[in-house]
Amino acid sequence: MNAFITAAGAYLPGDPVGNDEIAARLGGVDERGDRLRRRILAANGIAKRHYALDERGRTTELNEELAAAALRSMLDDRGLDPADLDMLATATTQGDLLVPGFASMVHGRIGGGPMQLLSAAGVCASSLAALDAAVAKVRLGDRERAAVVGSELASRWLRASRFNGANDTDAHFLRWMLSDGAGSVLVEARPRPDRPSLRVDWVRTVSLAHEHGVCMRAGTDGSSPAAGRTWQDMGSAAAAEQAGMMLLRQDTSALGALAEAGLKEFASLAQRGLIDLKRLDHVLCHYSTNAFRDLVFDQLASTGAQIDTGRWFSNLETRGNTGAASIFIALEECWRTGRFEPGQTVLLAVPESGRFTFGFAHLTCVAPEAAQSVSVQVPERAAVPAHEPVPTSDGNVFARLDAVWEDFERRLGHVPVMRRLADGESTLDDYLRLLFNLRQQVADGARWISRAASNFSVDLFDLRSAAIGHAGEEHRDFMMIERDYAACGGSIEAIRAGRKNIGSEALSAYMFHTASQPDPIGLLGAMFVIEGLGTGKASEWAAQFKEQLGLRDDQVSFLAYHGDADDDHFAKLQAILASPRIDAAAADAIVSTAKVVARLYALQLEELDNV
């Protein structure tokens, strides 16, 4: 299943505060502090920001209230109420309370019905971690509508009363950088019918804390915490405050390394085929200062990359640096002003200095659902259930493939071995038979992918390259199955001597036949089904077999591996399917192939051991 961002909302408290008004709002500064203020503001480029503080420096709203306001703005955009949500994922650096979690407080604030909650902690990149969780649950079919909100109320950390005479640059740097606000998005399984939506192609977050020390921190008197030297060890909160532990600090000398590490992660995604800089229409990058942006541009240019800075969007200058909320506040402005058009691609990028975490998300703007496909009702016949609509060749390829997937899932639900697994009644014999039968067909996988690569013409050279790379990744999959089989007590000799069942024979024969055609672009439909099983089912099956049979990790490695690896494969596939090369004829071939492969794959599972 796909996941779409179908609405966005934002909330910025109070009136905009200009640079000349900051000191009055946060509290006075001495001569040295004022010099730091002017220097930092000149570098970061922020001209206006918002604070949930009145003119006397008193807090006017809670962080949970900022989040709730952004959520209501988003729900109004979609015409929904909190009761329509079944998941809420929140992100913030620090909630209003130490306990309970921020999501619980926001849920209590907005109301609605029972829902799943997630409180993502961290700093800036926690927003994309929350988005990742919501997208995963929607794609799995576990949730229908998931709201994601990033919210920050940093100003309470920035008031003069907290500084107690402290004049270190690391603390004052953030004092003139951070501000308050919240941004929210709605994630649904289908695009909205009345306006374009953003399909979430993939989300990736990665921590490099194993390589870097703490950069942005609060709650300790040093760059790294030590036993007995955190704010909770000080006997009282007042003592911790007096010791300067409650100041928010950033090691400014590490920001160059942060930019370098972020560019390496960007390059890694590009090498894996997840990002094509030439084809990106919009880049929304959260950064704390224009100096950081310029550093990124310079380093990208030094690699030979062609940088069209007009594609990059930031509202840092007018909205300020709102941490975990920043990327959604930027996305909401683009959404509200109609910046995205169907067919365009969007990259969200969020570096987090806390201990070097990076978040990325790739989106594709799609047309309203009502305009994506035209369906006709099919008369009753044996091959297709009467209730299943068959889209015409004018339909959107993703909507048509979703229909294929839904039918495939229904068929899987009736396969005996899968039904017993879903009912919690699987046996070790079920699992061994599944591995035994899958091995015989999987062993052919790299071979038909290689054959397909050899039949792509130079006009589809990128598909040939992708197929060759994929064949290299897949050619030892069957060995992983063999190891799992042996670890569960099966015989290596027996599984290697096994024959394909009649479903596997039909599937392999069809795959080799299709791969042998000139420019076999229809095989993207086969990949949609097979990689979809990995990204949508494999992890769930691995967890169920482990729980029901008491298996170890080394006994379910094939399913667990594909639950992770196929996320990348599926993201690459989605990027190809969204490209202009997929015209009406290609879409027809892809959907037709997907239908056949889905039916034959289900037959393979229905006919276990029937050779």
Side-chain angles (χ1 to χ4, degrees):
M1 292 182 65
N2 281 312
F4 300 85
I5 293 175
T6 60
Y11 178 72
L12 296 161
D15 295 326
V17 176
N19 289 348
D20 294 336
E21 305 169 68
I22 301 179
R25 188 66 60 95
L26 298 181
V29 294
D30 58 20
E31 183 178 346
R32 179 178 181 276
D34 196 52
R35 287 198 303 272
L36 282 172
R37 178 183 68 85
R38 292 195 301 270
R39 189 175 75 209
I40 292 166
L41 289 172
N44 66 29
I46 302 173
K48 297 179 180 178
R49 77 282 293 148
H50 292 254
Y51 296 123
L53 299 175
D54 63 17
E55 291 78 3
R56 298 174 64 181
R58 297 174 301 191
T59 301
T60 58
E61 298 176 79
L62 294 171
N63 196 3
E64 68 184 62
E65 291 179 292
L66 306 185
L71 286 165
R72 293 190 188 100
S73 171
M74 175 270 292
L75 289 170
D76 288 344
D77 175 44
R78 186 68 175 92
L80 299 174
D81 295 315
D84 295 311
L85 301 175
D86 53 11
M87 181 176 179
L88 171 63
T90 66
T92 190
T93 303
Q94 178 61 61
D96 303 293
L97 305 179
L98 297 179
V99 176
F102 189 59
S104 295
M105 300 306 296
V106 176
H107 182 202
R109 177 70 58 175
I110 65 169
M115 63 181 73
Q116 179 181 350
L117 299 180
L118 171 72
S119 298
V123 197
C124 307
S126 60
S127 52
L128 290 191
L131 177 66
D132 193 16
V135 167
K137 298 299 285 185
V138 169
R139 278 182 173 165
L140 284 172
D142 287 351
R143 296 289 177 260
E144 294 183 7
R145 290 193 181 99
V148 185
V149 62
S151 183
E152 299 284 13
L153 209 170
S155 59
R156 291 183 297 200
W157 294 75
L158 310 177
R159 288 176 295 195
S161 58
R162 283 196 175 274
F163 279 72
N164 294 321
N167 57 11
D168 54 291
T169 303
D170 284 358
H172 278 274
F173 177 77
L174 290 176
R175 191 178 188 211
W176 311 120
M177 297 283 289
L178 301 178
S179 54
D180 306 335
S184 178
V185 296
L186 181 67
V187 180
E188 298 186 82
R190 293 190 178 281
R192 63 188 289 174
D194 57 334
R195 62 167 294 176
S197 301
L198 296 170
R199 189 184 68 244
V200 183
D201 301 319
W202 51 259
V203 184
R204 294 290 181 275
T205 61
V206 60
S207 165
L208 301 183
H210 64 299
E211 297 176 349
H212 298 275
V214 178
C215 177
M216 183 176 177
R217 74 276 183 191
T220 179
D221 59 357
S223 60
S224 294
R229 298 300 303 170
T230 71
W231 70 276
Q232 295 183 80
D233 299 310
M234 295 302 291
S236 70
E241 183 117 30
Q242 189 65 35
M245 290 185 175
M246 307 311 289
L247 290 176
L248 197 58
R249 291 181 167 88
Q250 185 165 57
D251 181 0
T252 56
S253 67
L255 293 182
L258 179 71
E260 183 178 351
L263 285 168
K264 286 182 179 178
E265 292 304 315
F266 180 94
S268 174
L269 293 172
Q271 290 168 2
R272 289 152 61 188
L274 296 178
I275 294 175
D276 184 346
L277 192 58
K278 295 178 181 178
R279 295 182 179 179
L280 278 177
D281 297 296
H282 305 277
V283 178
L284 278 62
C285 184
H286 162 64
Y287 41 81
S288 58
T289 169
N290 282 343
F292 187 89
R293 176 204 61 191
D294 296 340
L295 182 62
V296 170
F297 284 166
D298 289 344
Q299 292 198 24
L300 279 174
S302 71
T303 68
Q306 298 297 314
I307 306 301
D308 179 0
T309 56
R311 300 181 188 177
W312 291 62
F313 176 84
S314 169
N315 52 14
L316 175 71
E317 294 182 1
T318 57
R319 301 294 187 267
N321 177 3
T322 51
S326 289
I327 197 66
F328 293 152
I329 290 175
L331 185 63
E332 185 275 340
E333 182 170 336
C334 292
W335 177 274
R336 174 170 41 81
T337 57
R339 188 178 178 91
F340 308 135
E341 298 179 1
Q344 293 184 336
T345 57
V346 183
L347 179 71
L348 308 181
V350 181
E352 174 182 306
S353 62
R355 195 161 180 173
F356 283 35
T357 298
F358 302 92
F360 298 91
H362 193 280
L363 317 173
T364 299
C365 186
V366 300
E369 185 177 48
Q372 287 191 23
S373 62
V374 180
S375 300
V376 297
Q377 201 70 20
V378 179
E380 285 197 19
R381 62 188 187 199
V384 182
H387 64 272
E388 181 187 357
V390 176
T392 69
S393 60
D394 295 327
N396 174 275
V397 68
F398 288 100
R400 298 169 66 191
L401 288 172
D402 277 349
V404 174
W405 182 262
E406 289 174 8
D407 179 64
F408 181 43
E409 284 193 305
R410 285 194 296 269
R411 293 186 186 277
L412 288 179
H414 294 293
V415 172
V417 66
M418 295 290 100
R419 187 172 64 247
R420 287 194 293 275
L421 180 64
D423 292 341
E425 300 173 353
S426 63
T427 66
L428 183 59
D429 183 59
D430 283 336
Y431 183 55
L432 288 170
R433 291 169 61 229
L434 182 64
L435 294 178
F436 186 95
N437 284 262
L438 284 177
R439 185 268 178 204
Q440 316 314 327
Q441 176 263 314
V442 169
D444 283 344
R447 294 172 55 209
W448 65 256
I449 297 173
S450 297
R451 181 173 298 185
S454 69
N455 283 302
F456 279 117
S457 65
V458 68
D459 292 336
L460 297 176
F461 187 80
D462 57 333
L463 296 186
R464 178 194 295 182
S465 299
I468 291 172
H470 193 55
E473 295 173 350
E474 299 287 322
H475 79 293
R476 293 185 178 178
D477 271 7
F478 71 93
M479 296 182 183
M480 199 178 301
I481 296 178
E482 291 176 357
R483 290 195 294 271
D484 287 354
Y485 187 77
C488 292
S491 164
I492 288 287
E493 292 75 15
I495 196 172
R496 288 179 177 173
R499 294 170 52 192
K500 298 185 187 76
N501 69 43
I502 61 175
S504 298
E505 288 282 12
L507 178 59
S508 284
Y510 177 77
M511 298 301 273
F512 278 112
H513 168 75
T514 306
S516 300
Q517 306 306 305
D519 287 335
I521 199 166
L523 281 177
L524 294 174
M527 302 305 296
F528 175 83
V529 173
I530 295 171
E531 303 297 348
L533 280 170
T535 194
K537 296 291 185 182
S539 290
E540 178 185 355
W541 288 347
Q544 289 174 324
F545 276 123
K546 279 184 67 176
E547 180 181 358
Q548 294 175 30
L549 305 179
L551 299 179
R552 305 183 305 270
D553 288 344
D554 66 316
Q555 294 172 307
V556 294
S557 62
F558 172 77
L559 292 175
Y561 166 76
H562 280 277
D564 292 330
D566 286 355
D567 281 351
D568 283 346
H569 300 161
F570 199 74
K572 293 176 185 178
L573 173 64
Q574 287 187 305
I576 295 171
L577 292 174
S579 69
R581 72 172 67 254
I582 307 302
D583 56 18
D588 286 347
I590 290 166
V591 173
S592 177
T593 304
K595 287 181 178 180
V596 175
V597 170
R599 183 65 189 95
L600 293 180
Y601 205 103
L603 181 65
Q604 172 181 236
L605 299 179
E606 293 167 4
E607 299 292 345
L608 294 186
D609 307 328
N610 185 2
V611 298

